Amino acid sequence: MIYAAAMSKPLKTGGEVDSFCTKCKLVLNHRIIAMVASTPVRVECSTCGSHHNYRPRAPGERAPAAGTRASGSSSSSSAGPRSTRASMTKAAQAAADREKQWEKAIAGKAVSEFRAYRVDQMFAEGDLIRHKKFGDGVVTRILDPKKVEILFKDEPRTLAQGLTD
Ligand SMILES: [Zn+2]
């Protein structure tokens, strides 16, 4: 087995995946530029726009424990193939819930309440964001001092914050 297709979304060229960015030096949301079989090989960073090879995790970071064959996506809850049907339904339900959450956060807000997303900014949970590529979003989680999870209309993405160079 190479990478088990246990993730909720099949990976495809033009799709999105979490990868280590060699420029941001963080595991962040990337767009897949090229794939070999079911494995991404080239990706574009959604934060800085740089193109580089796909790396599922930061250098030096350990691979997931044996038995976890998911390719390192932090958002994957790695349901096994036998629960595919149940997890599809759950995934659809989660997507619907997320969209509701997004709508609730965005609804009725003035344009002036949104901040333009920039990698050198620091964010807080609940901040309203305007991203030039992904549109309106709301900060749902501060993952660490350098990373935030922002919920956009289509899906949540891990983006950088507080980058100084
Ligand atoms: Zn980057």
Side-chain angles (χ1 to χ4, degrees), residues 49-144:
S50 71
H51 291 196
H52 50 81
N53 292 337
Y54 171 67
R55 289 172 188 236
R57 63 190 73 85
E61 202 176 290
R62 281 192 202 207
T68 312
R69 263 181 274 129
S71 58
S73 163
S74 56
S75 58
S76 166
S77 53
S78 73
R82 65 206 135 79
S83 60
T84 299
R85 184 170 301 192
S87 66
M88 289 287 284
T89 315
K90 258 188 232 160
Q93 183 62 46
D97 287 350
R98 278 203 308 265
E99 196 168 332
K100 257 187 232 148
Q101 189 192 352
W102 178 86
E103 270 165 14
K104 215 172 135 194
I106 302 299
K109 294 294 193 310
V111 175
S112 60
E113 293 182 65
F114 291 82
R115 295 160 66 189
Y117 170 80
R118 292 213 338 240
V119 295
D120 60 355
Q121 302 283 298
M122 293 295 285
F123 302 100
E125 257 176 58
D127 280 1
L128 296 169
I129 305 299
R130 175 149 292 150
H131 192 286
K132 60 182 185 315
K133 198 143 90 184
F134 305 131
D136 295 341
V138 58
V139 176
T140 46
R141 261 194 307 163
I142 309 300
L143 300 168
D144 68 38

